[in-house]
Amino acid sequence: MDKRKVYLDYSATTPVKEEVLQAMLPYFTESYGNPSSLYSIGQDSKQALETAREQVAALIGASPREVFFTSSGTEADNWAVIGAAESMAKKGGHVITTAVEHHALLHTAEYLEKRGFEVTYLGVGQDGLIRLEELESAIKAETTVISVMFANNEVGTIQPVEEIAEIAKKRGILFHTDAVQALGNVPIDVKKLGLDMMSVSAHKIYGPKGVGALYVRKGLALPSFMHGGGQEGNRRAGTENLTGIVGFGKAAEIAKAGLQGHIARVSELRDYFVKEVSARIPDIRINGSMERRLPGNANITFEYIEGEALLLLLDLDGIAVSTGSACSSASLTPSHVLSAMGVPVEMIHGSLRFTVGDFTTKEDLDYTVGSLVRSVEKLRSISSVSKEKGWQ
Amino acid sequence: MAMYNDKVIDHFTNPHNVGELLNPDGEGTYGSPVCGDMMKISIKVENDVITDARFKTFGCGSAIASSSVATDLIIGKTVEEALKVTNRDVLDELGGLPAIKIHCSVLADHAIRSAIYDYAKKTGKTYVGLEGFDPGADEGDTHHGCDMEHKGCEKE
């Protein structure tokens, strides 16, 4: 088989779409004015900025004035959770989040703990989902903020965000969700869902890296996170990343127009991939709920082998995927998400995440399955553990 | 493949001495799947010379490459010489590993010692290089049953 380049890590980042790039280009060299400047090219930039704000707002059902551009989803998470917890500190110092959040949220919660806040980390079931009863019983009089991710980055499971928002609202608690993975993959309407704050990012929806946004419900007095000039309605200082924001706007516009088609196409490809892998490779496990899941995500454990070795063999065949094993990061601990779901540690080491996107073809997946069959067989022939002999 | 040099990739994709010996003279295991890597090695010894060695490894690319190189290094050596092979020798032979992967070479080093320990126990022999070696000593319970020195394979 001819070697191809196959990218199956759309949850890590996405390529910038050609139309997005074309929309951005004039703002580097022609319309380079500072949006805060009063002369014409400054005002042109201001206009481009506000168009992008409308485009992003339209994708999430918000009003443009509720969208604040940031440098990343991580910045939006930090701003929302720290800002909300600190501004509510007089009422109480208890924050609820989950054990399966992205590090952008987990490490922010740990920061709050160091600052004297109390944080409850809700567990998840084998399906990767939190239990609403557990959330309700975790709420105390001092609880001021709940932050639960919309969809998980490793296993793609979609949390019951609308129900959580309702519980939070009833108890007078602010609710934030990290929707970085969900944006452009799930229909989102912040008004219908009843969200207070939501983090999003451009580079997961075929926009550029280095730009994100925080949705802040109108009337919510979230303190500013960056202090300086009057950009972003005095709430996020610093000259705007104009080219990035224009790209984000264009990517949001494209995502909104093609959302149903994207979901249908990508989930069909993912389902095909899972079906093929299941049929052709024995002793695998699919991690997380297949019902409440992002369309492009498949997280698969290949028993009796180690994931990074498999990732390398796939890479040698030109295929890019990511591992949920300890090998994927500098940390000793294997994937905190799979751990929280109760996946045995030895199996976490053999887990890979495949994420399909708009440029993935059926041929790419056939090629990947072929490489997987050979690579898994090869590593199992080298491995000191096996189905016959067990894990010892 | 920016992470590993060509030699490591070669030993990973075409590892030498994979398998299990029938009626081995010594067998050793080090690591555990919970820790992220485990090597099993079996050796044949004739006239105090290691005439053959085979390994099986559950682990990342550098654990497999280290196993391949380490078995190459001990075949043809006397037992006492084989005991002098260190993880440094494995690293040198591989042309280096990323800093965070150096522990993978320790896996092979320990597994070899365990196999020779088994051989010495079965034959009643004593070796200077085995003094103070306890095959189970490092398998503490500090982290999922993984000791801190042997912490599986990590990547930056």
Side-chain angles (χ1 to χ4, degrees), chain A residues 304-306 308-309 311-313 315-316 323 326-334 345-346 349 378-385 389 391-392, chain B residues 1 3-4 9 12-15 18 20 33-36 38-40 55-61 64 100-101 143-144 148 151 153-155:
Chain A
Y304 314 117
I305 59 174
E306 198 278 333
E308 195 233 52
L311 180 148
L312 286 179
L313 285 183
D315 190 23
L316 289 167
T323 153
C327 294
S328 69
S329 71
S331 93
L332 252 177
T333 324
V345 181
E346 63 274 25
H349 289 302
K378 183 186 177 102
L379 292 173
R380 282 182 179 163
S381 76
I382 298 172
S383 181
S384 53
V385 288
K389 295 189 175 173
W391 284 95
Q392 292 307 306
Chain B
M1 185 92 34
M3 204 174 137
Y4 295 122
I9 290 297
F12 165 55
T13 53
N14 298 297
V18 175
E20 288 155 277
V34 170
C35 304
M38 175 166 82
M39 180 179 179
K40 282 188 178 179
F55 82 86
K56 285 257 179 141
T57 293
F58 167 93
C60 63
I64 291 169
I100 203 146
K101 291 284 189 183
H143 180 79
H144 300 299
M148 294 315 279
K151 49 181 170 180
C153 300
E154 298 163 47
K155 170 178 108 176

Side-chain angles (χ1 to χ4, degrees), chain A residues 110-148:
Chain A
E110 284 164 18
Y111 165 82
L112 283 174
E113 284 186 283
K114 281 189 202 130
R115 304 269 296 177
F117 288 86
E118 187 196 345
V119 180
T120 299
Y121 300 89
L122 298 173
V124 295
Q126 272 190 348
D127 53 9
L129 302 170
I130 67 157
R131 299 289 175 260
L132 293 170
E133 316 84 75
E134 278 182 39
L135 170 65
E136 298 215 53
S137 52
I139 295 172
K140 316 188 226 193
E142 302 78 40
T143 309
T144 54
V145 183
I146 296 173
S147 180
V148 175

Side-chain angles (χ1 to χ4, degrees), chain A residues 198-210:
Chain A
M198 182 174 84
S199 306
V200 292
S201 178
H203 76 108
K204 311 286 191 187
I205 64 160
Y206 311 92
K209 294 164 185 66

Side-chain angles (χ1 to χ4, degrees), chain A residues 19-247:
Chain A
E19 309 93 289
V20 173
L21 176 66
Q22 291 307 325
M24 292 168 69
L25 286 176
Y27 296 95
F28 283 101
T29 51
E30 294 161 33
S31 277
Y32 52 81
N34 188 320
S36 299
S37 299
L38 297 177
Y39 41 75
S40 300
I41 61 163
Q43 289 307 297
D44 290 349
S45 296
K46 178 79 182 162
Q47 184 54 50
L49 187 66
E50 294 318 315
T51 301
R53 199 183 310 283
E54 285 164 20
Q55 289 163 322
V56 172
L59 179 59
I60 60 172
S63 132
R65 295 186 64 181
E66 297 171 312
V67 173
F68 300 88
F69 289 112
T70 63
S71 66
S72 57
T74 296
E75 185 192 321
D77 283 345
N78 274 262
W79 180 13
V81 176
I82 295 171
E86 287 184 343
S87 68
M88 302 279 281
K90 274 189 187 152
K91 190 194 159 204
H94 181 229
V95 174
I96 299 174
T97 184
T98 80
V100 297
E101 295 297 310
H102 188 277
H103 285 127
L105 210 296
L106 279 184
H107 290 163
T108 297
E110 284 164 18
Y111 165 82
L112 283 174
E113 284 186 283
K114 281 189 202 130
R115 304 269 296 177
F117 288 86
E118 187 196 345
V119 180
T120 299
Y121 300 89
L122 298 173
V124 295
Q126 272 190 348
D127 53 9
L129 302 170
I130 67 157
R131 299 289 175 260
L132 293 170
E133 316 84 75
E134 278 182 39
L135 170 65
E136 298 215 53
S137 52
I139 295 172
K140 316 188 226 193
E142 302 78 40
T143 309
T144 54
V145 183
I146 296 173
S147 180
V148 175
M149 70 200 317
F150 206 120
N152 184 266
N153 49 306
E154 287 191 35
V155 291
T157 45
I158 299 169
Q159 299 292 350
V161 171
E162 190 167 6
E163 290 84 347
I164 300 168
E166 206 180 309
I167 291 167
K169 196 174 181 180
K170 249 187 248 162
R171 310 289 290 261
I173 300 165
L174 291 176
F175 177 46
H176 163 259
T177 186
D178 176 335
V180 166
Q181 294 290 338
L183 189 73
N185 287 309
V186 182
I188 298 177
D189 186 322
V190 291
K191 297 278 183 266
K192 271 192 202 145
L193 293 169
L195 304 178
D196 291 315
M197 292 168 287
M198 182 174 84
S199 306
V200 292
S201 178
H203 76 108
K204 311 286 191 187
I205 64 160
Y206 311 92
K209 294 164 185 66
V211 55
L214 181 65
Y215 157 78
V216 183
R217 177 180 50 77
K218 186 170 176 263
L220 200 163
L222 188 70
S224 62
F225 191 63
M226 298 279 269
H227 310 285
Q231 293 89 353
E232 298 299 289
N234 280 319
R235 290 170 109 171
R236 200 282 187 186
T239 298
E240 302 85 346
N241 172 7
L242 183 65
T243 51
I245 290 168
V246 167

